Amino acid sequence: MRTMALETPDTGDEVKPIHEVDCVVKSNDRVNDEYRLLVLDAPLKILDCEPGQFFHLLCPISGNLQPYLRRPMSIYGYYPDKGELHFLYKVTGEGTAAMATMKMGDTFNVLGPLGKGFDILPNWKNLLLVARGVGLATLAPLALEARRLNRNLTAICSARSKSVLMSLDYFRDLGVNVIALTDEDATSSVENMRRIIEALIADEGVDAMYTCGSNRILKLLQDVGKSHKIPGQIALEQQMACGFGMCQCCVRAFHREGIIVNERVCTEGPVFDLQEAIGC
Amino acid sequence: MRTMALETPDTGDEVKPIHEVDCVVKSNDRVNDEYRLLVLDAPLKILDCEPGQFFHLLCPISGNLQPYLRRPMSIYGYYPDKGELHFLYKVTGEGTAAMATMKMGDTFNVLGPLGKGFDILPNWKNLLLVARGVGLATLAPLALEARRLNRNLTAICSARSKSVLMSLDYFRDLGVNVIALTDEDATSSVENMRRIIEALIADEGVDAMYTCGSNRILKLLQDVGKSHKIPGQIALEQQMACGFGMCQCCVRAFHREGIIVNERVCTEGPVFDLQEAIGC
Amino acid sequence: MLDLTTQIGTLKLKNPIMPASGTFSEDLARVFDLDLIGAHVTKTITREKRSGNPTPRVCEVRGSMLNSIGIPSKGVEAFLANVIPFYAQYDAPLIVSISAGSADEFASLCEEVSVPGVAAIEVNISCPNIEEDGKAFAMRPSTTEAVMRKLRNATDLPLWAKLTPNTGETTEVAKAAEAAGADALVVSNTLLAMAIDIHTRRPKLGNLMGGLSGPAFKPIALRMAYQCAKSVDIPVIGCGGISNLEDVIEYLIAGAVAVQVGTATFIDPKIMVNMVDGIEAYLKSQGLHSVSQLVGSVEDGEVSDGLVFMEAAP
Amino acid sequence: MLDLTTQIGTLKLKNPIMPASGTFSEDLARVFDLDLIGAHVTKTITREKRSGNPTPRVCEVRGSMLNSIGIPSKGVEAFLANVIPFYAQYDAPLIVSISAGSADEFASLCEEVSVPGVAAIEVNISCPNIEEDGKAFAMRPSTTEAVMRKLRNATDLPLWAKLTPNTGETTEVAKAAEAAGADALVVSNTLLAMAIDIHTRRPKLGNLMGGLSGPAFKPIALRMAYQCAKSVDIPVIGCGGISNLEDVIEYLIAGAVAVQVGTATFIDPKIMVNMVDGIEAYLKSQGLHSVSQLVGSVEDGEVSDGLVFMEAAP
Ligand SMILES: Cc1cc2nc3c(=O)[nH]c(=O)nc-3n(C[C@H](O)[C@H](O)[C@H](O)COP(=O)(O)OP(=O)(O)OC[C@H]3O[C@@H](n4cnc5c(N)ncnc54)[C@H](O)[C@@H]3O)c2cc1C
Ligand SMILES: Cc1cc2nc3c(=O)[nH]c(=O)nc-3n(C[C@H](O)[C@H](O)[C@H](O)COP(=O)(O)OP(=O)(O)OC[C@H]3O[C@@H](n4cnc5c(N)ncnc54)[C@H](O)[C@@H]3O)c2cc1C
Ligand SMILES: Cc1cc2nc3c(=O)[nH]c(=O)nc-3n(C[C@H](O)[C@H](O)[C@H](O)COP(=O)(O)O)c2cc1C
Ligand SMILES: Cc1cc2nc3c(=O)[nH]c(=O)nc-3n(C[C@H](O)[C@H](O)[C@H](O)COP(=O)(O)O)c2cc1C
Ligand code: FES
Ligand code: FES
């Protein structure tokens, strides 16, 4: 298997400026047992976002919580009209624990928007989104965009338990057809998911599939996509330092034209072609 | 000049336990242009102090202020009756700047009481205290102790300007005879101080002299002390790491029995014999 | 008029702030005008395409980071075709960082990148010398001197030797690079370090170990920069943990004629521009008129060589 | 029953936590019962009285500190008369740290402190060897081996060699110490570093440079401890930046059989006791029953020698 280094920054896309901005925290509340929603008062210039893009966040330093590097976080919602930027996050370590201490009125430095978001091609009418856990944070803006573009969206949302299943109301309010699966109900198995997706394809049809994170779901959608020739995209994660292309920390491997190529999640991604992606 | 290492910890003194305690901030207000008064709610066990002793303070970490080592700070006041411990401090760098951000209700970790305080021998009736600037913080508890022991205390307080002359009311309330000298009034010169001291000696007499910090004052009091055979003590400062004898960071040199000895400011001091002290 | 320029051999920079190799790329042009800084330094390239080390390539340690990127490289052809033209649109001089596994490969790559548009070549000699015992060239004076001599013969461009902090012979290596014709020293590359995830018990880096950079590394690299400035006559460019204006000033006072900023850019992408502005304000506030007044102005008194060149902590 | 004991050659400690030389003294008995920790390690002593380095001897760097205490020493007589009797009241074994400027002086001091009440001798070979070129013994395998052989002949007590991070030959030095008869390695002493006050332009330490210790130093010392554990058969005692329970676990997983805690005690004087308690809770939570199950349990897979023993960052 040959391995090849990545090519220079996409020359096709226009190169937008990256903004580093101090925002003010509007709220930072717990939404369920595991997740918090951070709402920032944000200037318009950073709200020209695409679903799937992310920001690189400078978490506050206080007491024993002393995160150093920025933390990448998907845009959960961007609202130029009300000047708000939303992040949905799970406290997993030092940085997110520090974020959780922030209060209304605190200043929070963000860098972005960064990366390449999801595509919704003109001929993609019926969209399917499959997410597990905090993956919803990344996929939620797709729902908003789908409605703006007048597409049909079905969201299969899987989680450990009902109590951590998030964004369902959010999706329903946007007219999304929501299918909730949980481990506690034993409905979240890959086999059940496959059955549900096959039924959707048979019924209304699916033009494109979107997912993120989970290896099991990636594998499933790659199978389904291949057999039904349905295109798809996946948002991936990787440890980052710079967040916009300089350090080469964040590479992942992809199948492309018979070889394995490394691409930077922060710049060529975080959204990649579903079939090219390689789980980890 | 021979140089000799210090001897093992004073075996004469009883060895008291050292306490590391989280206190709650009662107030932390500016007292004038340069100084702040920190009042802590402190448990009784750390309030068994002597004037001249100090605490080693763990300054809070927040944002760009990330002090690492503890900071030594003289006890400005200790009040077992009301359970309070006071520090008077000047913001000079990262640690004290971090202290200045503390608010009522915050937790503050202190280690102490540490070091050897001032002596007031039974036959010392007329005490003289000469202080400049923040040195007052160190000498203030002497006033309380002098009153408790029913001694006469005169305090010569020197500062750049009236507006930073602190503790004058505090001293007066304790019945101290206060003489205020300032640079702006051109009353703070060494010559003027010497005149004033010589007058005091001639009038009521002086049995012991106390000071801290300033090299000019040290030199002056050593002269006066030698010529009038008046004993004295000085509180000294030095960079510290551990604060109670382990690291040997905090040594200063002293004249003793014809040789130069190094002593640890944190353990053999911070109060030393006036004539043995060497300025820096 | 304040004079922010600094002279590195024949090369004059408009100010002493430049990026460190591997922490800079064309992408930073999306954040600020790249002509605001003194020079541009590319990520190290190799002759052939390489994919770099396994992931994770970065991990955080208290107040700093480790990286084990390795040297992913598009190869010299892609570099000549894409990267050099990109930087040609700027006035700031372009410094190309190169690396290779043997002195001959090093020399031939050096020749290949000695093209118009390149102002100087930085040689990353912290990489293993595959011909000898696998030790990095810059670990020893002898291997440093050998590779630098070949490089010196391969180009007329200024040659900057980038040292490693992993050697026990900092000043000897510095002198060897000077003797072999280096025009400047960059002090220094990252320090070998490690972190283990106590939950998985696995090394936090895919490559087992990596290089420490960032604030934790500053006092070490500063010491090296000072020692090098005292032991050679060629200019020293300070690099390691420089995160704010004070750090820049500290390195200049220690004897560096310019500095490279690495990890700090990841935290604050505009930091280099702020440093340039900050130097100006600082000079003004100190009543100084030029950066060169600061360089090497450390008040170290009549300090003995024994102290300056000590190699272990006292 | 949880087994916190650890075996260092013939010496069995009740738990793997002990202080680092120079960061501990009788004074700590004012904070906690010194029998709660695994061993006691004295500040390095020399044969003669010495006064140590000029002040300031300490300065703060971002999240860590530099020190240039030097080795102030009351001399061996005062030590035998006062210090050894003090520690005799405790069960925890006493480790005496010694230093000297030549191998012969080292050996004779070693003999003098080989007295009842002393459980092992730690040799601080990071000090300059005044007979050779002034380089510290532990900078090179040859000088390490030479001095360790003399020391080996001078005592029957266990000998712990304390290494320096300033060498470029960590594993070679480790092997040399082992070959010469060291019973354990302490990895490691402080790393040479510097800080300059930009206002006065003076070095922040009276002695120009000093040793970095504390959190900033951890990833470097951990890497060395790992490399040493992989390259010798004698036990390795980890030391460098250990500030909390996680750090202790990380060193044990990396291969250290015990750890020394230095600078962290200055911030939190009770930290060693908290670590002992913490290890117990940790073992319980992980379903482990002994410290030895953790030691060397790093999941480094089929890692090549090239990676384990690399000497510069990739
Ligand atoms: C493009 C992208 C979008 C993301 N969006 C979200 C989101 O919307 N909501 C959410 O809760 N999480 C999201 N994550 C994961 C999030 O970045 C991590 O949970 C977070 O960095 C953890 O930081 P920590 O300090 O709390 O954890 P620690 O484990 O202490 O972090 C240590 C280091 O590892 C890095 N790290 C840890 N986990 C991850 C991860 N999964 N991906 C990348 N780096 C990681 C951290 O950034 C930090 O540098 C996203 C990650 C990426 C790459
Ligand atoms: C026994 C003793 C009692 C003191 N009492 C008082 C007091 O009551 N009020 C007050 O305002 N100040 C007092 N000081 C001085 C006080 O310790 C310093 O002002 C303080 O440490 C400065 O810390 P910083 O981080 O703000 O300054 P920085 O300059 O940023 O400190 C950097 C480092 O230097 C050390 N340092 C700086 N100045 C001094 C100093 N003068 N003495 C010792 N170490 C220093 C700090 O502790 C720190 O480790 C006392 C010092 C000692 C030794
Ligand atoms: C992510 C990353 C990649 C690096 N890549 C290179 C490189 O390719 N070539 C090189 O000479 N140095 C490289 N370095 C080292 C830096 O140029 C610099 O010497 C080091 O990081 C110390 O500076 P800092 O503390 O300011 O980051 C890299 C450093 C980092 C953090
Ligand atoms: C103030 C101070 C004094 C030290 N004195 C000695 C010493 O006398 N002998 C020695 O071998 N190491 C000495 N050291 C080094 C420590 O023992 C230890 O190796 C080093 O500090 C790293 O550990 P740490 O990061 O936990 O402090 C000293 C360290 C400090 C901070
Ligand atoms: S995070 Fe630096 S290149 Fe992607
Ligand atoms: S501060 Fe450690 S001995 Fe005084």
Side-chain angles (χ1 to χ4, degrees):
Chain A
M1 199 145 61
R2 277 193 298 145
T3 309
M4 203 190 85
L6 50 103
E7 292 306 300
T8 25
D10 296 358
T11 39
D13 296 337
E14 60 174 324
V15 175
K16 287 195 192 167
I18 296 171
H19 303 285
E20 186 229 327
V21 176
D22 278 336
C23 294
V24 173
V25 174
K26 277 190 160 174
S27 65
N28 184 23
D29 298 326
R30 206 182 271 285
V31 295
N32 63 29
D33 289 359
E34 296 185 354
Y35 299 91
R36 277 177 180 268
L37 176 66
L38 174 66
V39 177
L40 299 178
D41 197 342
L44 238 131
K45 64 176 175 187
I46 67 170
L47 295 175
D48 180 13
C49 308
E50 296 167 20
Q53 283 190 306
F54 70 100
F55 275 80
H56 214 23
L57 311 180
L58 195 59
C59 303
I61 289 176
S62 147
N64 279 328
L65 297 173
Q66 297 171 29
Y68 176 68
L69 294 169
R70 286 175 181 265
R71 301 310 198 243
M73 213 58 85
S74 296
I75 301 164
Y76 179 61
Y78 54 100
Y79 303 95
D81 45 333
K82 32 180 189 170
E84 283 184 2
L85 182 61
H86 294 195
F87 297 99
L88 187 72
Y89 65 99
K90 182 171 168 178
V91 174
T92 56
E94 200 165 7
T96 46
M99 280 177 67
T101 66
M102 294 194 303
K103 290 186 184 55
M104 197 180 73
D106 285 357
T107 293
F108 188 51
N109 186 282
V110 307
L111 179 78
L114 300 171
K116 203 190 128 298
F118 292 103
D119 296 315
I120 305 185
L121 294 200
N123 57 330
W124 293 352
K125 296 296 175 202
N126 293 323
L127 313 179
L128 171 65
L129 167 170
V130 186
R132 171 136 181 119
V134 80
L136 274 176
T138 305
L139 297 169
L142 261 180
L144 212 67
E145 189 69 0
R147 189 168 75 164
R148 203 179 61 83
L149 298 174
N150 225 340
R151 312 298 166 92
N152 303 319
L153 179 63
T154 300
I156 301 180
C157 302
S158 146
R160 261 195 306 108
S161 70
K162 279 255 161 51
S163 66
V164 297
L165 251 184
M166 290 161 308
S167 309
L168 299 193
D169 293 341
Y170 172 86
F171 278 136
R172 289 201 184 99
D173 291 350
L174 289 169
V176 174
N177 170 29
V178 177
I179 301 169
L181 308 176
T182 64
D183 301 354
E184 58 181 18
D185 293 348
T187 50
S188 64
S189 72
V190 171
E191 300 70 47
N192 192 41
M193 236 183 233
R194 185 192 295 268
R195 267 192 304 275
I196 293 170
I197 297 172
E198 293 282 359
L200 282 170
I201 294 171
D203 282 6
E204 313 110 61
V206 169
D207 297 320
M209 303 185 294
Y210 304 90
T211 189
C212 68
S214 157
N215 274 335
R216 290 189 320 158
I217 298 179
L218 167 61
K219 190 87 195 42
L220 168 64
L221 295 192
Q222 282 178 334
D223 276 7
V224 173
K226 261 187 212 126
S227 60
H228 295 280
K229 297 209 165 26
I230 302 171
Q233 294 189 315
I234 182 166
L236 294 172
E237 296 187 356
Q238 183 59 281
Q239 311 280 102
M240 294 185 179
C242 73
F244 59 97
M246 301 188 292
C247 72
Q248 315 265 5
C249 283
C250 64
V251 297
R252 287 186 62 140
F254 298 87
H255 293 291
R256 186 170 303 156
E257 295 160 17
I259 57 166
I260 302 274
V261 297
N262 272 339
E263 300 244 70
R264 294 167 298 185
V265 169
C266 72
T267 304
E268 286 81 45
V271 174
F272 293 93
D273 181 82
L274 184 69
Q275 298 297 345
E276 291 184 356
I278 301 177
C280 65
Chain B
M1 198 145 57
R2 278 194 297 146
T3 307
M4 205 188 85
L6 49 102
E7 293 305 302
T8 25
D10 295 1
T11 39
D13 295 336
E14 61 175 320
V15 176
K16 286 194 191 166
I18 297 171
H19 303 284
E20 186 227 327
V21 176
D22 277 336
C23 296
V24 172
V25 174
K26 277 190 161 176
S27 65
N28 184 24
D29 298 325
R30 203 182 273 286
V31 295
N32 62 30
D33 288 359
E34 297 184 354
Y35 300 90
R36 278 179 179 268
L37 176 66
L38 174 67
V39 177
L40 299 178
D41 197 342
L44 237 129
K45 65 176 175 186
I46 67 169
L47 295 176
D48 180 13
C49 308
E50 298 167 18
Q53 283 190 307
F54 70 101
F55 274 81
H56 215 23
L57 310 180
L58 195 59
C59 303
I61 289 176
S62 149
N64 279 330
L65 298 174
Q66 298 171 29
Y68 176 69
L69 295 169
R70 286 175 181 265
R71 300 315 198 241
M73 212 58 86
S74 295
I75 301 164
Y76 180 60
Y78 54 101
Y79 304 96
D81 45 332
K82 33 180 187 169
E84 282 184 3
L85 183 59
H86 295 195
F87 296 100
L88 186 73
Y89 65 99
K90 181 171 168 180
V91 174
T92 56
E94 200 165 6
T96 45
M99 281 178 66
T101 67
M102 295 194 301
K103 290 186 183 54
M104 198 180 72
D106 286 357
T107 292
F108 188 51
N109 186 283
V110 306
L111 180 78
L114 300 171
K116 203 190 129 295
F118 292 104
D119 296 316
I120 305 184
L121 294 200
N123 57 332
W124 293 354
K125 298 296 174 202
N126 294 322
L127 313 179
L128 171 65
L129 168 170
V130 186
R132 172 137 180 118
V134 80
L136 274 176
T138 306
L139 297 168
L142 261 180
L144 212 67
E145 189 70 0
R147 189 168 74 165
R148 201 177 63 81
L149 299 174
N150 225 340
R151 313 296 167 92
N152 304 319
L153 177 64
T154 300
I156 302 180
C157 303
S158 145
R160 260 195 309 107
S161 71
K162 278 254 160 53
S163 66
V164 297
L165 251 183
M166 291 161 307
S167 308
L168 299 192
D169 292 340
Y170 172 87
F171 278 136
R172 287 199 185 100
D173 291 349
L174 290 169
V176 174
N177 169 29
V178 177
I179 302 169
L181 309 176
T182 64
D183 301 356
E184 58 181 18
D185 294 348
T187 51
S188 63
S189 71
V190 171
E191 301 70 48
N192 193 39
M193 236 183 232
R194 184 191 295 269
R195 268 193 302 273
I196 294 171
I197 297 173
E198 293 282 0
L200 282 171
I201 295 172
D203 281 7
E204 313 111 60
V206 169
D207 297 320
M209 304 185 293
Y210 303 92
T211 188
C212 68
S214 157
N215 274 336
R216 289 191 320 160
I217 298 178
L218 167 62
K219 189 86 196 43
L220 169 64
L221 296 192
Q222 283 179 333
D223 275 7
V224 172
K226 262 186 211 125
S227 60
H228 296 279
K229 296 210 165 27
I230 302 172
Q233 293 188 316
I234 182 167
L236 294 172
E237 296 187 359
Q238 183 60 280
Q239 312 280 103
M240 294 185 179
C242 74
F244 59 97
M246 301 188 293
C247 71
Q248 315 266 4
C249 283
C250 64
V251 298
R252 287 187 62 141
F254 298 87
H255 294 291
R256 187 169 302 156
E257 294 159 18
I259 58 167
I260 302 274
V261 298
N262 272 339
E263 300 245 69
R264 295 168 297 186
V265 169
C266 72
T267 304
E268 284 81 44
V271 174
F272 293 94
D273 181 83
L274 184 70
Q275 297 297 346
E276 291 184 356
I278 302 177
C280 63
Chain C
M1 251 306 279
L2 290 176
D3 180 7
L4 295 196
T5 64
T6 193
Q7 195 75 36
I8 305 180
T10 54
L11 201 63
K12 186 174 190 156
L13 309 189
K14 66 190 262 196
N15 65 58
I17 305 291
M18 68 184 106
S21 176
T23 65
F24 175 75
S25 72
E26 299 87 310
D27 303 273
L28 198 56
R30 293 175 63 193
V31 179
F32 63 80
D33 172 4
L34 297 186
D35 260 338
L36 293 172
I37 53 179
H40 300 154
V41 183
T42 69
K43 167 84 182 165
T44 300
I45 59 157
T46 55
R47 244 195 131 270
E48 313 301 331
K49 291 182 183 175
R50 286 163 52 110
S51 58
N53 288 327
T55 56
R57 291 178 172 184
V58 59
C59 75
E60 182 160 317
V61 291
R62 180 44 57 108
S64 285
M65 64 173 272
L66 309 186
N67 88 79
S68 61
I69 311 292
I71 308 186
S73 172
K74 298 164 199 152
V76 66
E77 279 163 46
F79 182 80
L80 294 173
N82 303 321
V83 181
I84 295 194
F86 174 88
Y87 289 105
Q89 57 184 306
Y90 296 100
D91 290 334
L94 177 65
I95 319 300
V96 173
S97 171
I98 62 171
S99 182
S102 74
D104 287 329
E105 278 177 59
F106 235 130
S108 79
L109 177 56
C110 185
E111 231 180 291
E112 283 180 84
V113 298
S114 295
V115 296
V118 177
I121 295 173
E122 181 176 294
V123 269
N124 179 357
I125 50 175
S126 306
C127 52
N129 177 352
I130 51 176
E131 286 178 333
E132 296 250 347
D133 47 8
K135 272 185 195 283
F137 295 96
M139 290 294 287
R140 286 176 301 196
S142 58
T143 44
T144 300
E145 184 153 353
V147 70
M148 290 305 296
R149 282 207 191 284
K150 290 220 167 153
L151 287 161
R152 182 67 292 166
N153 288 331
T155 189
D156 291 329
L157 287 175
L159 269 181
W160 299 359
K162 183 159 177 186
L163 307 191
T164 173
N166 297 291
T167 180
E169 304 174 272
T170 300
T171 55
E172 290 89 339
V173 169
K175 284 185 203 150
E178 179 182 41
D183 297 287
L185 303 178
V186 180
V187 185
S188 75
N189 218 309
T190 56
L191 186 47
L192 189 62
M194 186 177 189
I196 298 172
D197 184 318
I198 66 165
H199 306 294
T200 62
R201 299 196 195 168
R202 289 192 1 215
K204 287 193 179 174
L205 293 175
N207 199 51
L208 192 63
M209 301 179 204
L212 176 71
S213 63
F217 178 47
K218 195 194 71 177
I220 303 159
L222 180 81
R223 179 264 299 175
M224 290 179 62
Y226 170 82
Q227 290 183 315
C228 288
K230 289 277 176 186
S231 57
V232 298
D233 292 322
I234 52 176
V236 168
I237 298 158
C239 179
I242 299 174
S243 307
N244 53 40
L245 178 66
E246 288 71 33
D247 295 339
V248 173
I249 308 292
E250 195 177 2
Y251 269 89
L252 296 175
I253 291 174
V257 300
V259 297
Q260 293 187 346
V261 179
T263 307
T265 291
F266 300 162
I267 311 304
D268 178 355
K270 285 199 289 258
I271 190 82
M272 284 192 281
V273 180
N274 294 342
M275 286 168 174
V276 174
D277 295 344
I279 295 175
E280 205 166 329
Y282 177 83
L283 290 180
K284 234 178 258 167
S285 76
Q286 301 289 304
L288 299 173
H289 54 81
S290 75
V291 162
S292 60
Q293 287 179 292
L294 276 178
V295 173
S297 63
V298 54
E299 301 275 353
D300 50 6
E302 300 268 297
V303 68
S304 72
D305 278 5
L307 280 187
V308 172
F309 301 121
M310 65 176 142
E311 285 172 330
Chain D
M1 251 306 278
L2 290 175
D3 180 8
L4 296 197
T5 64
T6 194
Q7 193 76 35
I8 305 180
T10 53
L11 201 63
K12 186 174 190 156
L13 308 190
K14 65 191 263 196
N15 64 58
I17 305 292
M18 68 183 105
S21 176
T23 66
F24 175 76
S25 72
E26 299 88 308
D27 304 273
L28 198 57
R30 293 175 64 191
V31 179
F32 63 79
D33 172 3
L34 296 186
D35 260 338
L36 293 172
I37 54 178
H40 300 154
V41 183
T42 68
K43 168 83 182 165
T44 301
I45 60 158
T46 56
R47 242 194 132 269
E48 313 301 331
K49 290 182 183 173
R50 285 163 53 109
S51 58
N53 287 327
T55 56
R57 291 178 172 185
V58 59
C59 75
E60 183 161 315
V61 291
R62 181 44 58 109
S64 285
M65 64 173 271
L66 310 185
N67 87 79
S68 61
I69 312 291
I71 308 186
S73 172
K74 299 165 199 152
V76 66
E77 279 164 45
F79 182 81
L80 295 173
N82 303 321
V83 181
I84 296 196
F86 174 88
Y87 289 105
Q89 58 185 306
Y90 296 99
D91 290 334
L94 177 66
I95 319 298
V96 173
S97 171
I98 62 170
S99 183
S102 74
D104 287 328
E105 278 177 61
F106 235 130
S108 79
L109 177 57
C110 185
E111 231 180 292
E112 282 179 85
V113 297
S114 295
V115 296
V118 177
I121 295 172
E122 180 176 295
V123 269
N124 179 357
I125 50 175
S126 306
C127 51
N129 178 349
I130 50 176
E131 285 177 335
E132 296 250 347
D133 48 8
K135 271 185 196 282
F137 295 96
M139 289 294 286
R140 286 177 298 197
S142 57
T143 42
T144 300
E145 183 152 353
V147 70
M148 290 306 295
R149 284 208 189 283
K150 290 220 167 150
L151 287 161
R152 182 68 292 166
N153 288 333
T155 189
D156 291 329
L157 287 175
L159 268 181
W160 298 359
K162 184 159 178 185
L163 306 192
T164 173
N166 297 292
T167 180
E169 304 173 272
T170 300
T171 56
E172 290 89 340
V173 168
K175 284 184 202 151
E178 179 182 42
D183 297 287
L185 303 178
V186 181
V187 184
S188 74
N189 218 309
T190 57
L191 184 47
L192 190 61
M194 185 176 189
I196 298 173
D197 183 318
I198 66 165
H199 305 294
T200 62
R201 299 195 194 169
R202 286 184 11 206
K204 286 193 178 173
L205 293 175
N207 199 51
L208 191 62
M209 300 178 204
L212 176 71
S213 63
F217 178 48
K218 196 195 69 176
I220 304 158
L222 179 81
R223 178 264 300 175
M224 290 179 62
Y226 170 83
Q227 290 183 317
C228 288
K230 289 277 176 185
S231 57
V232 298
D233 293 322
I234 52 176
V236 168
I237 298 158
C239 178
I242 299 175
S243 306
N244 53 41
L245 178 66
E246 289 69 35
D247 296 339
V248 173
I249 307 292
E250 195 177 2
Y251 269 88
L252 295 176
I253 292 174
V257 301
V259 297
Q260 294 188 347
V261 179
T263 308
T265 290
F266 301 161
I267 311 304
D268 178 356
K270 286 198 290 257
I271 190 81
M272 285 192 280
V273 180
N274 294 342
M275 287 169 175
V276 174
D277 296 344
I279 295 176
E280 204 165 330
Y282 177 83
L283 289 180
K284 235 179 257 166
S285 76
Q286 301 288 305
L288 299 172
H289 56 80
S290 75
V291 162
S292 60
Q293 287 179 292
L294 276 177
V295 173
S297 63
V298 55
E299 301 275 353
D300 50 5
E302 300 267 297
V303 67
S304 72
D305 278 5
L307 279 188
V308 173
F309 302 121
M310 65 177 145
E311 285 173 326

